[in-house]
Amino acid sequence: MSSTRPASGHGPGAAAARLTGLAATAERPLSGALTEVVLDGGRVVVVKHADAPGAVRAEAAGLRWLAATGTVRIPTVHGHDGRWLVIDRVPPGRASADAAARFGRDLAALHAAGAPAFGAPPPAGPEEAYIGLAPMRNVPGDDWPSWYAAHRVLPYLRRAVDDGTVRPAEAAVIERVCERLPALAGPAEPPARLHGDLWNGNVLWGADGHVRLIDPAAHGGHRETDLAMLDLFGCPHLERILDGYRRAAPLADGWRDRVGLHQLFPLLVHAVLFGRGYADQALAVARSALTR
């Protein structure tokens, strides 16, 4: 590791030692919340710090729920407490077309593992969870359109209006989409086991040619949601991922037309966190949906 420093008696190194039972010999900050730590014996782990109530518990539960399927690879969780999470470091590799196709097949298998209900949290995961730094409630529902409107889109739409990021007249456009969701959502599907925050930054291309997923907002949801998140901010070899996915689990007719519907929630989350530009994107998606 480059730019390492000896592990201190507190902070990430101490958390790694406490949660793994192995002494920490060096650490290297990656960001304000992430640190690489070398353990006695040479294993390298990533230590994540979070102060938000329940955030570490939610992330650890999500990682374990996804890993339990034996499908998409997930870094091993070595331990966690109220503020610290320790997982394996993923040696970085190149994003290749073959790895992308394999990831698509594995993602289809992950979704097929299912969930008890739309909105169901992972076992041992809290109801009050997070998508990135933003709150996200995992409340079970019976059907995807009504659940998605009530527990994903409308709460963040209300926040955006309260903050002045979306004007009330504009909010009415998104509210009409929510009213029409039963007709716009496509054929009914069973709840899928979702990563839930599947943007490119949470897709790690490993040196061994396998993708690993980190930072989940895991819950039971619609499988097209994960695919729409991959599309939202772009992902290397996206078409190869989708091709691998569809070969393993064909998507319902019209799925490409529904990508925007599934992007409404993350766009509104970003509007609340980062401002008007994302609100404009959400409104464009909503207006497009209403013309179908």
Side-chain angles (χ1 to χ4, degrees):
M1 295 172 66
S2 60
S3 303
T4 58
R5 65 190 184 199
S8 65
H10 60 277
R18 184 176 69 256
L19 293 169
T20 65
L22 297 172
T25 59
E27 56 187 61
R28 179 168 72 96
L30 302 176
S31 69
L34 297 175
T35 303
E36 282 186 357
V37 174
V38 181
L39 300 174
D40 189 28
R43 180 186 289 274
V44 183
V45 295
V46 173
V47 181
K48 184 173 182 177
H49 176 268
D51 285 324
V56 169
R57 176 185 163 200
E59 184 168 342
L63 289 167
R64 286 171 169 152
W65 192 47
L66 301 181
T69 65
T71 57
V72 177
R73 298 190 180 199
I74 305 294
T76 299
V77 176
H78 291 287
H80 68 93
D81 60 19
R83 299 174 60 200
W84 299 97
L85 173 70
V86 181
I87 65 174
D88 266 342
R89 174 183 177 266
V90 178
R94 183 175 61 88
S96 71
D98 286 345
R102 184 162 49 243
F103 170 43
R105 294 192 297 270
D106 291 345
L107 184 61
L110 172 67
H111 290 165
F118 296 107
E127 179 179 296
E128 302 295 337
Y130 297 86
I131 179 167
L133 298 175
M136 184 188 81
R137 296 190 70 217
N138 285 326
V139 179
D142 294 329
D143 68 279
W144 184 79
S146 61
W147 169 84
Y148 183 63
H151 298 294
R152 291 295 184 261
V153 176
L154 292 177
Y156 270 92
L157 178 61
R158 288 192 287 268
R159 285 191 58 180
V161 171
D162 289 345
D163 293 344
T165 307
V166 173
R167 291 180 281 275
E170 295 171 329
V173 177
I174 296 175
E175 289 168 348
R176 285 199 295 275
V177 172
C178 289
E179 292 168 359
R180 290 190 56 195
L181 270 174
L184 296 173
E189 297 211 6
R193 189 170 306 197
L194 297 191
H195 176 279
D197 191 13
L198 198 57
W199 72 288
N200 181 44
N202 291 337
V203 177
L204 303 185
W205 302 83
D208 61 358
H210 291 276
V211 162
R212 284 161 179 80
L213 302 183
I214 59 170
D215 295 352
H219 63 280
H222 196 301
R223 63 190 180 126
E224 291 176 10
T225 297
D226 270 352
L227 302 180
M229 280 294 292
L230 283 172
D231 178 82
L232 183 56
F233 299 111
C235 185
H237 303 291
L238 178 58
E239 286 304 317
R240 288 298 300 270
I241 295 171
L242 295 172
D243 183 60
Y245 188 103
R246 287 177 293 169
R247 287 176 183 272
L251 293 161
D253 289 346
W255 69 271
R256 286 191 186 272
D257 294 331
R258 295 188 291 273
V259 167
L261 290 177
H262 293 271
Q263 292 175 345
L264 265 180
F265 171 56
L267 286 172
L268 287 169
V269 170
H270 279 70
V272 167
L273 294 178
F274 304 116
R276 178 67 195 187
Y278 290 104
D280 287 336
Q281 290 186 51
L283 289 163
V285 161
R287 291 183 178 116
S288 176
L290 291 173
T291 64
R292 286 169 43 197

